[in-house]
Amino acid sequence: MITINNDIAHREIKTLMKQGKNLDIRIDDSFALISTHSVTGLQYMLTPDNWKWLLNYLQTGDYEDFGIFPSDTTKSFATLEHLKELIESRRNIARIPFLRETQAFVKLRGLFKFGKLFFSIRRSDDFMDYLNEKGL
């Protein structure tokens, strides 16, 4: 099991935000891998609260983290639920196409003013039907 010091990662992410860096965030279950041009693969455990903080930064550039407690990782993060919220709120989410639709995972990306989100979701008939219904 990988242990992450979320407090240290949080401070590093906030420093990158203060510098106005564009963040590339790869979501993998309850973890985010955050990269910029100068930093690669910074691991950060996600909770609903720090997800809102990251998403707010991506949209507005505001890095204020009042009320975010990175060491409190007791709240679980549901990747699929949060992805669907983005799709439902009509954010700029798109499917990354493959030449062959036989991949085990569906890749999606979200483009924002201050960075990008990348998702890799296990393919299922229900999820594919959902994406087709939403025009993705």
Side-chain angles (χ1 to χ4, degrees), residues 65-90:
D65 62 352
F66 182 77
I68 304 297
F69 303 101
S71 59
D72 180 13
T73 56
T74 57
K75 297 177 189 172
S76 65
F77 181 80
T79 302
L80 189 56
E81 177 184 311
H82 287 90
L83 172 59
K84 285 183 175 181
E85 283 178 12
L86 290 173
I87 292 170
E88 295 295 330
S89 63
R90 302 179 99 37

Side-chain angles (χ1 to χ4, degrees), residues 58-112:
L58 291 175
Q59 295 172 18
T60 67
D62 180 18
Y63 54 82
E64 178 55 52
D65 62 352
F66 182 77
I68 304 297
F69 303 101
S71 59
D72 180 13
T73 56
T74 57
K75 297 177 189 172
S76 65
F77 181 80
T79 302
L80 189 56
E81 177 184 311
H82 287 90
L83 172 59
K84 285 183 175 181
E85 283 178 12
L86 290 173
I87 292 170
E88 295 295 330
S89 63
R90 302 179 99 37
R91 298 289 191 254
N92 190 9
I93 305 295
R95 200 162 103 190
I96 301 171
F98 285 100
L99 295 176
R100 290 180 275 155
E101 292 295 322
T102 59
Q103 302 292 327
F105 291 88
V106 178
K107 305 225 184 258
L108 298 111
R109 68 153 169 38
L111 301 176
F112 298 90

Side-chain angles (χ1 to χ4, degrees), residues 7-132:
D7 289 320
I8 292 171
H10 184 88
R11 284 193 298 274
E12 287 188 40
I13 294 164
K14 187 170 181 179
T15 299
L16 294 170
M17 289 175 171
K18 285 180 179 180
Q19 296 169 359
K21 300 280 187 181
N22 276 347
L23 303 179
D24 289 340
I25 304 173
R26 296 191 188 285
I27 307 299
D28 183 18
D29 291 326
S30 61
F31 292 96
L33 290 173
I34 299 173
S35 301
T36 66
H37 291 295
S38 58
V39 176
T40 291
L42 183 61
Q43 290 186 331
Y44 189 54
M45 183 175 254
L46 293 173
T47 65
D49 293 336
N50 62 25
W51 166 254
K52 289 177 190 169
W53 174 64
L54 288 171
L55 196 56
N56 184 53
Y57 175 77
L58 291 175
Q59 295 172 18
T60 67
D62 180 18
Y63 54 82
E64 178 55 52
D65 62 352
F66 182 77
I68 304 297
F69 303 101
S71 59
D72 180 13
T73 56
T74 57
K75 297 177 189 172
S76 65
F77 181 80
T79 302
L80 189 56
E81 177 184 311
H82 287 90
L83 172 59
K84 285 183 175 181
E85 283 178 12
L86 290 173
I87 292 170
E88 295 295 330
S89 63
R90 302 179 99 37
R91 298 289 191 254
N92 190 9
I93 305 295
R95 200 162 103 190
I96 301 171
F98 285 100
L99 295 176
R100 290 180 275 155
E101 292 295 322
T102 59
Q103 302 292 327
F105 291 88
V106 178
K107 305 225 184 258
L108 298 111
R109 68 153 169 38
L111 301 176
F112 298 90
K113 185 175 182 179
F114 291 91
K116 299 178 209 110
L117 286 173
F118 296 93
F119 295 91
S120 185
I121 305 294
R122 183 166 292 283
R123 181 183 297 275
S124 72
D125 290 339
D126 288 342
F127 186 61
M128 294 309 295
D129 290 344
Y130 174 78
L131 290 178
N132 289 331

